[in-house]
Amino acid sequence: MSFNVPLEMLEDICEISSNTAMLWRQKVFDTVNSYQDTIILKDTVWIDETYIIDALILQNDNSKKKRGLSKQKICIFVAIDCYKNIYASLCGHGKPSKSRIYKTLKDHIKVGSTVIHDGDNAHSYLIENLGLNSQVYIANAKDDIYIEKMALINNLCSWLKRYLYRFVGMDTKNL
């Protein structure tokens, strides 16, 4: 499981049934489920959002895939500090509001830390209420400074999306 092996391969390697493989995976996930609750990011913290399509909404709506940050996309708020502690959490559908971002991160960033972000207005409420310092690098793929300063969080978001794309159609409660 630590190498993200498909359940079918686990069944073959361990010579177990599919029901047993699912049960074992669920037990492992239940064991580590609350790990993120204890994470406190400090000193220098990068924050950003990434989005994945909610295949269940597309399937149930029988509608076409919309462009942009529609309600068809699940928002995952991602943060990482200079010590490479990572926090990622679902933050609803579509573009997150100030209150959703604050609720998601308020217990996971140490007061007085410096937050490096892309200047999204919704970040300001979190920064003000936690007494955080702010460094803004406006998202521009042609700006070398933006690429350099936001590389850590952008790489983390890319990795997370690549990882989750293996599980397209997964129930969001298991996400």
Side-chain angles (χ1 to χ4, degrees), residues 2-63:
S2 62
F3 293 106
N4 197 23
V5 174
L7 281 181
E8 294 80 18
M9 187 178 287
L10 286 173
E11 294 164 18
D12 290 341
I13 293 170
C14 299
E15 298 178 359
I16 57 176
S17 70
S18 60
N19 289 344
T20 303
M22 286 289 288
L23 177 66
W24 286 3
R25 182 170 71 176
Q26 192 59 48
K27 284 185 176 191
V28 170
F29 287 162
D30 287 345
T31 302
V32 298
N33 193 30
S34 62
Y35 170 75
Q36 278 204 138
D37 296 343
T38 63
I39 292 176
I40 305 293
L41 305 170
K42 59 185 178 183
D43 297 336
T44 304
V45 180
W46 289 260
I47 63 173
D48 204 359
E49 311 85 28
T50 192
Y51 300 87
I52 58 172
I53 294 170
D54 190 342
L56 295 176
I57 288 180
L58 288 177
Q59 180 181 2
N60 294 337
D61 281 352
N62 293 327
S63 59

Short mmCIF file of all heavy atoms in Angstrom, two decimals, residues 2-63:
data_model
loop_
_atom_site.label_atom_id
_atom_site.label_comp_id
_atom_site.label_asym_id
_atom_site.label_seq_id
_atom_site.Cartn_x
_atom_site.Cartn_y
_atom_site.Cartn_z
N SER A 2 2.01 1.22 0.66
CA SER A 2 2.84 2.41 0.73
C SER A 2 3.42 2.77 -0.64
O SER A 2 3.84 3.89 -0.85
CB SER A 2 3.96 2.23 1.75
OG SER A 2 4.80 1.17 1.37
N PHE A 3 3.41 1.82 -1.58
CA PHE A 3 3.88 2.10 -2.93
C PHE A 3 2.72 2.29 -3.90
O PHE A 3 2.91 2.26 -5.11
CB PHE A 3 4.81 0.98 -3.42
CG PHE A 3 6.10 0.92 -2.67
CD1 PHE A 3 6.32 -0.08 -1.75
CD2 PHE A 3 7.06 1.89 -2.87
CE1 PHE A 3 7.51 -0.14 -1.05
CE2 PHE A 3 8.26 1.85 -2.16
CZ PHE A 3 8.48 0.83 -1.25
N ASN A 4 1.50 2.45 -3.35
CA ASN A 4 0.33 2.75 -4.16
C ASN A 4 0.04 1.64 -5.18
O ASN A 4 -0.31 1.90 -6.32
CB ASN A 4 0.51 4.10 -4.86
CG ASN A 4 -0.80 4.64 -5.35
OD1 ASN A 4 -1.85 4.27 -4.84
ND2 ASN A 4 -0.75 5.51 -6.33
N VAL A 5 0.20 0.41 -4.75
CA VAL A 5 -0.06 -0.74 -5.60
C VAL A 5 -1.57 -0.94 -5.70
O VAL A 5 -2.27 -0.85 -4.69
CB VAL A 5 0.62 -2.01 -5.01
CG1 VAL A 5 0.26 -3.25 -5.78
CG2 VAL A 5 2.13 -1.81 -4.98
N PRO A 6 -2.10 -1.22 -6.88
CA PRO A 6 -3.54 -1.46 -7.01
C PRO A 6 -3.99 -2.65 -6.16
O PRO A 6 -3.22 -3.59 -5.92
CB PRO A 6 -3.71 -1.77 -8.50
CG PRO A 6 -2.51 -1.22 -9.17
CD PRO A 6 -1.40 -1.28 -8.17
N LEU A 7 -5.24 -2.60 -5.72
CA LEU A 7 -5.78 -3.67 -4.88
C LEU A 7 -5.68 -5.04 -5.54
O LEU A 7 -5.42 -6.04 -4.88
CB LEU A 7 -7.22 -3.38 -4.50
CG LEU A 7 -7.43 -2.37 -3.38
CD1 LEU A 7 -8.91 -2.20 -3.09
CD2 LEU A 7 -6.69 -2.77 -2.12
N GLU A 8 -5.88 -5.10 -6.85
CA GLU A 8 -5.82 -6.38 -7.55
C GLU A 8 -4.44 -7.02 -7.40
O GLU A 8 -4.32 -8.23 -7.21
CB GLU A 8 -6.15 -6.21 -9.04
CG GLU A 8 -7.58 -5.79 -9.32
CD GLU A 8 -7.82 -4.30 -9.12
OE1 GLU A 8 -6.84 -3.51 -9.11
OE2 GLU A 8 -8.98 -3.92 -8.95
N MET A 9 -3.40 -6.19 -7.45
CA MET A 9 -2.04 -6.72 -7.29
C MET A 9 -1.81 -7.16 -5.85
O MET A 9 -1.17 -8.18 -5.60
CB MET A 9 -1.01 -5.68 -7.70
CG MET A 9 0.41 -6.23 -7.73
SD MET A 9 1.63 -5.02 -8.26
CE MET A 9 1.26 -4.95 -10.01
N LEU A 10 -2.34 -6.40 -4.89
CA LEU A 10 -2.22 -6.80 -3.48
C LEU A 10 -2.90 -8.15 -3.24
O LEU A 10 -2.37 -9.00 -2.50
CB LEU A 10 -2.87 -5.76 -2.56
CG LEU A 10 -2.11 -4.45 -2.36
CD1 LEU A 10 -2.95 -3.47 -1.56
CD2 LEU A 10 -0.79 -4.69 -1.69
N GLU A 11 -4.04 -8.33 -3.88
CA GLU A 11 -4.75 -9.61 -3.74
C GLU A 11 -3.88 -10.76 -4.22
O GLU A 11 -3.79 -11.81 -3.56
CB GLU A 11 -6.05 -9.58 -4.54
CG GLU A 11 -7.06 -8.59 -4.02
CD GLU A 11 -8.15 -8.29 -5.03
OE1 GLU A 11 -8.34 -9.06 -6.00
OE2 GLU A 11 -8.84 -7.26 -4.86
N ASP A 12 -3.21 -10.57 -5.37
CA ASP A 12 -2.36 -11.62 -5.92
C ASP A 12 -1.12 -11.86 -5.05
O ASP A 12 -0.78 -13.00 -4.75
CB ASP A 12 -1.91 -11.26 -7.35
CG ASP A 12 -3.05 -11.33 -8.34
OD1 ASP A 12 -4.08 -11.98 -8.02
OD2 ASP A 12 -2.93 -10.72 -9.42
N ILE A 13 -0.46 -10.78 -4.66
CA ILE A 13 0.78 -10.91 -3.88
C ILE A 13 0.52 -11.56 -2.52
O ILE A 13 1.26 -12.44 -2.09
CB ILE A 13 1.45 -9.53 -3.68
CG1 ILE A 13 1.94 -9.00 -5.03
CG2 ILE A 13 2.58 -9.60 -2.66
CD1 ILE A 13 2.40 -7.55 -4.99
N CYS A 14 -0.54 -11.11 -1.85
CA CYS A 14 -0.84 -11.61 -0.50
C CYS A 14 -1.75 -12.84 -0.50
O CYS A 14 -2.04 -13.39 0.57
CB CYS A 14 -1.48 -10.50 0.34
SG CYS A 14 -0.42 -9.06 0.56
N GLU A 15 -2.22 -13.20 -1.69
CA GLU A 15 -3.13 -14.34 -1.83
C GLU A 15 -4.35 -14.20 -0.93
O GLU A 15 -4.67 -15.07 -0.11
CB GLU A 15 -2.39 -15.66 -1.56
CG GLU A 15 -1.28 -15.91 -2.56
CD GLU A 15 -0.50 -17.20 -2.28
OE1 GLU A 15 -0.80 -17.90 -1.30
OE2 GLU A 15 0.41 -17.48 -3.08
N ILE A 16 -5.02 -13.05 -1.10
CA ILE A 16 -6.23 -12.75 -0.32
C ILE A 16 -7.36 -12.39 -1.26
O ILE A 16 -7.14 -12.09 -2.43
CB ILE A 16 -5.98 -11.60 0.69
CG1 ILE A 16 -5.50 -10.33 -0.04
CG2 ILE A 16 -4.99 -12.03 1.78
CD1 ILE A 16 -5.33 -9.12 0.85
N SER A 17 -8.57 -12.39 -0.73
CA SER A 17 -9.73 -12.04 -1.55
C SER A 17 -9.84 -10.52 -1.69
O SER A 17 -9.22 -9.77 -0.94
CB SER A 17 -11.01 -12.58 -0.91
OG SER A 17 -11.30 -11.86 0.28
N SER A 18 -10.66 -10.09 -2.63
CA SER A 18 -10.85 -8.65 -2.83
C SER A 18 -11.50 -8.01 -1.60
O SER A 18 -11.17 -6.88 -1.23
CB SER A 18 -11.69 -8.39 -4.08
OG SER A 18 -12.96 -8.99 -3.96
N ASN A 19 -12.40 -8.73 -0.94
CA ASN A 19 -13.04 -8.19 0.27
C ASN A 19 -12.01 -7.98 1.38
O ASN A 19 -12.05 -6.97 2.09
CB ASN A 19 -14.14 -9.13 0.77
CG ASN A 19 -15.35 -9.10 -0.13
OD1 ASN A 19 -15.51 -8.20 -0.94
ND2 ASN A 19 -16.20 -10.11 0.00
N THR A 20 -11.09 -8.93 1.53
CA THR A 20 -10.05 -8.80 2.56
C THR A 20 -9.12 -7.64 2.23
O THR A 20 -8.75 -6.86 3.12
CB THR A 20 -9.25 -10.11 2.69
OG1 THR A 20 -10.16 -11.18 2.99
CG2 THR A 20 -8.19 -10.01 3.75
N ALA A 21 -8.75 -7.49 0.96
CA ALA A 21 -7.88 -6.38 0.55
C ALA A 21 -8.54 -5.04 0.86
O ALA A 21 -7.89 -4.13 1.39
CB ALA A 21 -7.54 -6.50 -0.93
N MET A 22 -9.82 -4.92 0.55
CA MET A 22 -10.55 -3.68 0.84
C MET A 22 -10.61 -3.42 2.35
O MET A 22 -10.42 -2.30 2.80
CB MET A 22 -11.98 -3.74 0.28
CG MET A 22 -12.07 -3.60 -1.21
SD MET A 22 -11.69 -1.94 -1.78
CE MET A 22 -13.15 -1.08 -1.25
N LEU A 23 -10.86 -4.45 3.12
CA LEU A 23 -10.94 -4.32 4.57
C LEU A 23 -9.60 -3.88 5.15
O LEU A 23 -9.54 -2.97 5.98
CB LEU A 23 -11.38 -5.64 5.21
CG LEU A 23 -11.43 -5.65 6.73
CD1 LEU A 23 -12.52 -4.71 7.24
CD2 LEU A 23 -11.67 -7.06 7.25
N TRP A 24 -8.51 -4.49 4.70
CA TRP A 24 -7.18 -4.12 5.19
C TRP A 24 -6.86 -2.66 4.85
O TRP A 24 -6.35 -1.92 5.68
CB TRP A 24 -6.11 -5.02 4.59
CG TRP A 24 -6.07 -6.41 5.15
CD1 TRP A 24 -6.91 -6.96 6.08
CD2 TRP A 24 -5.14 -7.42 4.80
NE1 TRP A 24 -6.56 -8.26 6.32
CE2 TRP A 24 -5.47 -8.58 5.55
CE3 TRP A 24 -4.07 -7.49 3.93
CZ2 TRP A 24 -4.76 -9.77 5.46
CZ3 TRP A 24 -3.36 -8.68 3.84
CH2 TRP A 24 -3.71 -9.79 4.60
N ARG A 25 -7.17 -2.27 3.60
CA ARG A 25 -6.91 -0.87 3.21
C ARG A 25 -7.72 0.08 4.07
O ARG A 25 -7.20 1.08 4.55
CB ARG A 25 -7.22 -0.67 1.73
CG ARG A 25 -6.92 0.77 1.31
CD ARG A 25 -6.98 0.97 -0.16
NE ARG A 25 -8.35 0.91 -0.62
CZ ARG A 25 -8.71 1.14 -1.88
NH1 ARG A 25 -7.79 1.39 -2.79
NH2 ARG A 25 -9.95 1.09 -2.24
N GLN A 26 -8.99 -0.25 4.31
CA GLN A 26 -9.83 0.61 5.13
C GLN A 26 -9.30 0.71 6.56
O GLN A 26 -9.31 1.78 7.16
CB GLN A 26 -11.28 0.10 5.14
CG GLN A 26 -12.26 1.09 5.72
CD GLN A 26 -12.28 2.40 4.96
OE1 GLN A 26 -12.35 2.43 3.74
NE2 GLN A 26 -12.21 3.51 5.67
N LYS A 27 -8.79 -0.38 7.10
CA LYS A 27 -8.23 -0.37 8.46
C LYS A 27 -6.98 0.51 8.54
O LYS A 27 -6.79 1.25 9.49
CB LYS A 27 -7.90 -1.80 8.93
CG LYS A 27 -9.12 -2.58 9.33
CD LYS A 27 -8.73 -3.93 9.89
CE LYS A 27 -9.97 -4.66 10.38
NZ LYS A 27 -9.64 -5.85 11.15
N VAL A 28 -6.14 0.42 7.51
CA VAL A 28 -4.95 1.28 7.49
C VAL A 28 -5.36 2.74 7.41
O VAL A 28 -4.85 3.59 8.15
CB VAL A 28 -4.01 0.90 6.32
CG1 VAL A 28 -2.91 1.94 6.13
CG2 VAL A 28 -3.40 -0.46 6.54
N PHE A 29 -6.28 3.07 6.52
CA PHE A 29 -6.73 4.45 6.38
C PHE A 29 -7.38 4.96 7.67
O PHE A 29 -7.17 6.09 8.07
CB PHE A 29 -7.70 4.60 5.21
CG PHE A 29 -7.03 4.52 3.86
CD1 PHE A 29 -7.78 4.28 2.73
CD2 PHE A 29 -5.67 4.70 3.70
CE1 PHE A 29 -7.18 4.21 1.47
CE2 PHE A 29 -5.05 4.63 2.46
CZ PHE A 29 -5.81 4.39 1.35
N ASP A 30 -8.17 4.13 8.33
CA ASP A 30 -8.79 4.52 9.59
C ASP A 30 -7.74 4.80 10.66
O ASP A 30 -7.91 5.68 11.51
CB ASP A 30 -9.76 3.45 10.09
CG ASP A 30 -11.04 3.40 9.29
OD1 ASP A 30 -11.32 4.37 8.53
OD2 ASP A 30 -11.78 2.40 9.39
N THR A 31 -6.64 4.05 10.63
CA THR A 31 -5.57 4.21 11.61
C THR A 31 -4.87 5.56 11.45
O THR A 31 -4.55 6.22 12.43
CB THR A 31 -4.53 3.08 11.47
OG1 THR A 31 -5.21 1.83 11.65
CG2 THR A 31 -3.43 3.21 12.49
N VAL A 32 -4.62 5.98 10.20
CA VAL A 32 -3.88 7.22 9.96
C VAL A 32 -4.79 8.41 9.66
O VAL A 32 -4.29 9.51 9.43
CB VAL A 32 -2.87 7.03 8.80
CG1 VAL A 32 -1.85 5.98 9.15
CG2 VAL A 32 -3.56 6.72 7.50
N ASN A 33 -6.09 8.21 9.70
CA ASN A 33 -7.04 9.24 9.29
C ASN A 33 -6.88 10.56 10.04
O ASN A 33 -6.98 11.62 9.46
CB ASN A 33 -8.47 8.72 9.45
CG ASN A 33 -9.47 9.61 8.78
OD1 ASN A 33 -9.18 10.25 7.78
ND2 ASN A 33 -10.66 9.65 9.33
N SER A 34 -6.63 10.53 11.33
CA SER A 34 -6.57 11.77 12.10
C SER A 34 -5.16 12.35 12.21
O SER A 34 -4.95 13.33 12.92
CB SER A 34 -7.15 11.54 13.49
OG SER A 34 -6.38 10.56 14.16
N TYR A 35 -4.20 11.79 11.48
CA TYR A 35 -2.83 12.27 11.54
C TYR A 35 -2.72 13.76 11.23
O TYR A 35 -2.05 14.51 11.91
CB TYR A 35 -1.94 11.47 10.58
CG TYR A 35 -0.56 12.06 10.42
CD1 TYR A 35 0.39 11.92 11.42
CD2 TYR A 35 -0.22 12.78 9.28
CE1 TYR A 35 1.66 12.48 11.29
CE2 TYR A 35 1.03 13.34 9.14
CZ TYR A 35 1.96 13.19 10.14
OH TYR A 35 3.20 13.75 10.00
N GLN A 36 -3.40 14.21 10.19
CA GLN A 36 -3.31 15.61 9.77
C GLN A 36 -3.86 16.58 10.82
O GLN A 36 -3.50 17.74 10.82
CB GLN A 36 -4.04 15.83 8.45
CG GLN A 36 -3.24 15.48 7.26
CD GLN A 36 -3.72 16.22 6.03
OE1 GLN A 36 -2.88 16.66 5.29
NE2 GLN A 36 -4.98 16.37 5.80
N ASP A 37 -4.74 16.10 11.69
CA ASP A 37 -5.33 16.99 12.70
C ASP A 37 -4.28 17.60 13.61
O ASP A 37 -4.50 18.65 14.20
CB ASP A 37 -6.36 16.22 13.54
CG ASP A 37 -7.55 15.75 12.71
OD1 ASP A 37 -7.73 16.27 11.59
OD2 ASP A 37 -8.28 14.87 13.19
N THR A 38 -3.12 16.96 13.73
CA THR A 38 -2.08 17.43 14.64
C THR A 38 -1.03 18.31 13.98
O THR A 38 -0.16 18.85 14.66
CB THR A 38 -1.36 16.22 15.29
OG1 THR A 38 -0.70 15.47 14.27
CG2 THR A 38 -2.35 15.32 16.02
N ILE A 39 -1.09 18.46 12.67
CA ILE A 39 -0.05 19.19 11.95
C ILE A 39 -0.21 20.70 12.15
O ILE A 39 -1.29 21.26 11.95
CB ILE A 39 -0.09 18.86 10.44
CG1 ILE A 39 0.33 17.42 10.23
CG2 ILE A 39 0.79 19.81 9.64
CD1 ILE A 39 0.25 16.95 8.81
N ILE A 40 0.88 21.33 12.57
CA ILE A 40 0.95 22.78 12.68
C ILE A 40 2.11 23.24 11.79
O ILE A 40 3.26 22.89 12.03
CB ILE A 40 1.20 23.25 14.14
CG1 ILE A 40 0.17 22.67 15.10
CG2 ILE A 40 1.27 24.77 14.21
CD1 ILE A 40 -1.23 23.19 14.91
N LEU A 41 1.79 24.03 10.79
CA LEU A 41 2.80 24.56 9.88
C LEU A 41 3.34 25.86 10.49
O LEU A 41 2.58 26.64 11.06
CB LEU A 41 2.19 24.81 8.51
CG LEU A 41 1.50 23.59 7.89
CD1 LEU A 41 0.71 24.00 6.65
CD2 LEU A 41 2.50 22.51 7.56
N LYS A 42 4.65 26.11 10.33
CA LYS A 42 5.22 27.29 10.98
C LYS A 42 6.34 27.90 10.16
O LYS A 42 6.81 27.31 9.19
CB LYS A 42 5.71 26.94 12.37
CG LYS A 42 6.76 25.86 12.41
CD LYS A 42 7.11 25.49 13.83
CE LYS A 42 8.13 24.36 13.81
NZ LYS A 42 8.47 23.90 15.11
N ASP A 43 6.73 29.07 10.59
CA ASP A 43 7.79 29.88 9.99
C ASP A 43 7.41 30.31 8.57
O ASP A 43 6.68 31.26 8.41
CB ASP A 43 9.15 29.17 10.05
CG ASP A 43 9.60 28.95 11.49
OD1 ASP A 43 9.15 29.71 12.38
OD2 ASP A 43 10.39 28.01 11.74
N THR A 44 7.87 29.63 7.54
CA THR A 44 7.51 29.98 6.16
C THR A 44 6.57 28.90 5.63
O THR A 44 6.90 27.73 5.65
CB THR A 44 8.75 30.08 5.27
OG1 THR A 44 9.66 31.03 5.84
CG2 THR A 44 8.37 30.54 3.86
N VAL A 45 5.38 29.35 5.19
CA VAL A 45 4.34 28.41 4.74
C VAL A 45 3.85 28.84 3.36
O VAL A 45 3.51 30.01 3.16
CB VAL A 45 3.16 28.39 5.73
CG1 VAL A 45 2.09 27.43 5.26
CG2 VAL A 45 3.62 28.07 7.14
N TRP A 46 3.83 27.90 2.42
CA TRP A 46 3.27 28.15 1.09
C TRP A 46 1.86 27.60 1.07
O TRP A 46 1.61 26.49 1.57
CB TRP A 46 4.10 27.43 0.03
CG TRP A 46 5.45 28.03 -0.22
CD1 TRP A 46 5.80 28.86 -1.24
CD2 TRP A 46 6.64 27.81 0.54
NE1 TRP A 46 7.13 29.18 -1.14
CE2 TRP A 46 7.67 28.55 -0.07
CE3 TRP A 46 6.94 27.07 1.70
CZ2 TRP A 46 8.97 28.58 0.43
CZ3 TRP A 46 8.25 27.09 2.19
CH2 TRP A 46 9.23 27.83 1.56
N ILE A 47 0.92 28.34 0.50
CA ILE A 47 -0.46 27.87 0.39
C ILE A 47 -0.97 28.04 -1.04
O ILE A 47 -0.55 28.95 -1.76
CB ILE A 47 -1.42 28.58 1.37
CG1 ILE A 47 -1.51 30.09 1.09
CG2 ILE A 47 -1.01 28.32 2.82
CD1 ILE A 47 -2.56 30.82 1.92
N ASP A 48 -1.86 27.14 -1.42
CA ASP A 48 -2.49 27.23 -2.75
C ASP A 48 -3.66 26.26 -2.80
O ASP A 48 -3.80 25.42 -1.92
CB ASP A 48 -1.48 26.91 -3.85
CG ASP A 48 -1.86 27.52 -5.19
OD1 ASP A 48 -2.91 28.18 -5.29
OD2 ASP A 48 -1.09 27.32 -6.16
N GLU A 49 -4.45 26.38 -3.82
CA GLU A 49 -5.55 25.45 -4.05
C GLU A 49 -5.26 24.68 -5.32
O GLU A 49 -4.60 25.18 -6.21
CB GLU A 49 -6.89 26.17 -4.26
CG GLU A 49 -7.25 27.22 -3.26
CD GLU A 49 -6.65 28.58 -3.57
OE1 GLU A 49 -6.41 28.91 -4.75
OE2 GLU A 49 -6.41 29.33 -2.62
N THR A 50 -5.77 23.46 -5.36
CA THR A 50 -5.73 22.69 -6.60
C THR A 50 -7.12 22.08 -6.78
O THR A 50 -7.86 21.95 -5.80
CB THR A 50 -4.61 21.63 -6.59
OG1 THR A 50 -4.46 21.11 -7.91
CG2 THR A 50 -4.87 20.51 -5.60
N TYR A 51 -7.47 21.73 -7.97
CA TYR A 51 -8.83 21.29 -8.27
C TYR A 51 -8.81 19.98 -9.05
O TYR A 51 -7.97 19.79 -9.92
CB TYR A 51 -9.56 22.36 -9.10
CG TYR A 51 -9.64 23.68 -8.38
CD1 TYR A 51 -8.62 24.61 -8.47
CD2 TYR A 51 -10.73 23.98 -7.58
CE1 TYR A 51 -8.68 25.82 -7.79
CE2 TYR A 51 -10.81 25.19 -6.91
CZ TYR A 51 -9.78 26.10 -7.01
OH TYR A 51 -9.84 27.28 -6.33
N ILE A 52 -9.76 19.12 -8.72
CA ILE A 52 -9.96 17.89 -9.48
C ILE A 52 -11.45 17.79 -9.81
O ILE A 52 -12.29 18.31 -9.08
CB ILE A 52 -9.48 16.64 -8.72
CG1 ILE A 52 -10.20 16.50 -7.37
CG2 ILE A 52 -7.98 16.66 -8.54
CD1 ILE A 52 -9.90 15.20 -6.66
N ILE A 53 -11.74 17.14 -10.91
CA ILE A 53 -13.13 17.01 -11.34
C ILE A 53 -13.84 16.00 -10.45
O ILE A 53 -13.31 14.93 -10.17
CB ILE A 53 -13.20 16.57 -12.82
CG1 ILE A 53 -12.64 17.69 -13.70
CG2 ILE A 53 -14.61 16.22 -13.23
CD1 ILE A 53 -12.44 17.30 -15.13
N ASP A 54 -15.03 16.34 -10.02
CA ASP A 54 -15.86 15.42 -9.24
C ASP A 54 -16.66 14.58 -10.24
O ASP A 54 -17.69 15.00 -10.75
CB ASP A 54 -16.79 16.19 -8.30
CG ASP A 54 -17.49 15.28 -7.31
OD1 ASP A 54 -17.54 14.05 -7.54
OD2 ASP A 54 -18.01 15.79 -6.30
N ALA A 55 -16.15 13.40 -10.52
CA ALA A 55 -16.75 12.53 -11.54
C ALA A 55 -18.18 12.14 -11.15
O ALA A 55 -19.01 11.91 -12.02
CB ALA A 55 -15.90 11.28 -11.74
N LEU A 56 -18.47 12.06 -9.86
CA LEU A 56 -19.83 11.69 -9.43
C LEU A 56 -20.85 12.75 -9.82
O LEU A 56 -21.98 12.43 -10.18
CB LEU A 56 -19.86 11.44 -7.93
CG LEU A 56 -19.04 10.24 -7.46
CD1 LEU A 56 -19.06 10.12 -5.95
CD2 LEU A 56 -19.54 8.96 -8.11
N ILE A 57 -20.46 14.03 -9.75
CA ILE A 57 -21.39 15.10 -10.17
C ILE A 57 -21.65 15.01 -11.66
O ILE A 57 -22.78 15.10 -12.11
CB ILE A 57 -20.82 16.49 -9.79
CG1 ILE A 57 -20.91 16.69 -8.28
CG2 ILE A 57 -21.57 17.59 -10.52
CD1 ILE A 57 -20.39 18.02 -7.80
N LEU A 58 -20.58 14.81 -12.44
CA LEU A 58 -20.75 14.68 -13.89
C LEU A 58 -21.64 13.49 -14.23
O LEU A 58 -22.50 13.57 -15.10
CB LEU A 58 -19.40 14.53 -14.58
CG LEU A 58 -18.52 15.77 -14.64
CD1 LEU A 58 -17.19 15.44 -15.29
CD2 LEU A 58 -19.21 16.89 -15.39
N GLN A 59 -21.45 12.40 -13.51
CA GLN A 59 -22.22 11.19 -13.77
C GLN A 59 -23.69 11.38 -13.41
O GLN A 59 -24.58 10.97 -14.15
CB GLN A 59 -21.63 10.05 -12.93
CG GLN A 59 -22.32 8.72 -13.10
CD GLN A 59 -21.67 7.66 -12.21
OE1 GLN A 59 -20.76 7.94 -11.45
NE2 GLN A 59 -22.16 6.46 -12.30
N ASN A 60 -23.97 12.05 -12.30
CA ASN A 60 -25.34 12.23 -11.83
C ASN A 60 -26.08 13.33 -12.57
O ASN A 60 -27.29 13.27 -12.74
CB ASN A 60 -25.36 12.52 -10.33
CG ASN A 60 -24.89 11.33 -9.52
OD1 ASN A 60 -24.95 10.20 -9.99
ND2 ASN A 60 -24.40 11.59 -8.32
N ASP A 61 -25.37 14.37 -13.01
CA ASP A 61 -26.01 15.49 -13.69
C ASP A 61 -26.28 15.21 -15.17
O ASP A 61 -27.10 15.88 -15.77
CB ASP A 61 -25.13 16.75 -13.61
CG ASP A 61 -25.23 17.44 -12.27
OD1 ASP A 61 -26.08 17.04 -11.46
OD2 ASP A 61 -24.45 18.38 -12.04
N ASN A 62 -25.55 14.27 -15.74
CA ASN A 62 -25.60 14.03 -17.18
C ASN A 62 -25.34 15.32 -17.95
O ASN A 62 -25.90 15.55 -19.00
CB ASN A 62 -26.94 13.42 -17.60
CG ASN A 62 -27.11 12.03 -17.05
OD1 ASN A 62 -26.14 11.29 -16.91
ND2 ASN A 62 -28.33 11.67 -16.72
N SER A 63 -24.52 16.18 -17.36
CA SER A 63 -24.22 17.45 -18.01
C SER A 63 -22.80 17.44 -18.55
O SER A 63 -22.00 16.60 -18.21
CB SER A 63 -24.39 18.60 -17.02
OG SER A 63 -23.53 18.43 -15.91
#
